Amino acid sequence: MGYSMKEISEKMGISPYTLRFYEKEGVLPIVDRDANGVRMFSEHYIDCIETVQALRSTGLPLAEIKQYVELYKSGDRTLQERKKLLVHQKSKVEEQIALLFKTMEKINYKLALIDVQDNKFEKLP
């Protein structure tokens, strides 16, 4: 089954401009076209978009995503290089999560202080 540009854009939450840009930059594979030249996106393409979106959400620059895609295109002989790249990015994500968790703890602490001050606990629960 193929999806049109509009369908894939809505389904994936990514603008047509971004899809075309990623394709032009080599971050996404060249998409198949129908007899009229209209782009038709496959399920495999959806997986590619999800991978790019996931890597982008971790802060990985497009140049490094493109490097990963090129390694992927080169086949199994690049498995260890791809793994190294992903392990490195996973480590960065774990650091981000730890920092966000500490930030959330601080916010929860401040909220608890506000609740105590706001309620003034005139009578015991």
Side-chain angles (χ1 to χ4, degrees):
M1 174 183 180
Y3 299 93
S4 69
M5 176 69 81
K6 181 180 178 187
E7 291 170 328
I8 205 74
S9 179
E10 290 173 358
K11 180 178 178 72
M12 302 305 299
I14 190 169
S15 74
Y17 171 82
T18 302
L19 285 169
R20 287 188 294 270
F21 175 76
Y22 284 173
E23 182 181 356
K24 179 181 161 218
E25 292 297 312
V27 174
L28 289 174
I30 303 296
V31 68
D32 294 330
R33 294 178 184 257
D34 68 11
N36 297 320
V38 176
R39 287 177 169 90
M40 294 304 294
F41 299 88
S42 66
E43 290 294 328
H44 172 71
Y45 208 90
I46 289 173
D47 184 53
C48 293
I49 293 169
E50 288 173 340
T51 300
V52 170
Q53 286 179 314
L55 293 173
R56 284 295 293 148
S57 73
T58 69
L60 192 66
L62 276 181
E64 290 184 43
I65 294 172
K66 184 176 180 177
Q67 176 187 4
Y68 178 83
V69 170
E70 291 300 321
L71 290 170
Y72 176 80
K73 289 179 186 176
S74 296
D76 289 349
R77 64 184 175 85
T78 65
L79 283 173
Q80 291 308 310
E81 290 175 83
R82 285 185 273 156
K83 182 177 181 178
K84 181 179 176 183
L85 189 145
L86 291 176
V87 166
H88 178 72
Q89 196 61 22
K90 179 181 180 241
S91 175
K92 285 184 176 181
V93 169
E94 289 169 343
E95 289 172 12
Q96 292 171 345
I97 290 170
L99 180 61
L100 285 172
F101 188 75
K102 285 177 74 174
T103 301
M104 188 173 63
E105 285 178 331
K106 186 64 150 180
I107 290 170
N108 284 338
Y109 174 74
K110 292 295 185 182
L111 286 170
L113 287 177
I114 290 170
D115 285 343
V116 167
Q117 290 173 334
D118 192 36
N119 291 326
K120 297 182 184 168
F121 292 106
E122 293 176 10
K123 61 181 190 177
L124 295 173

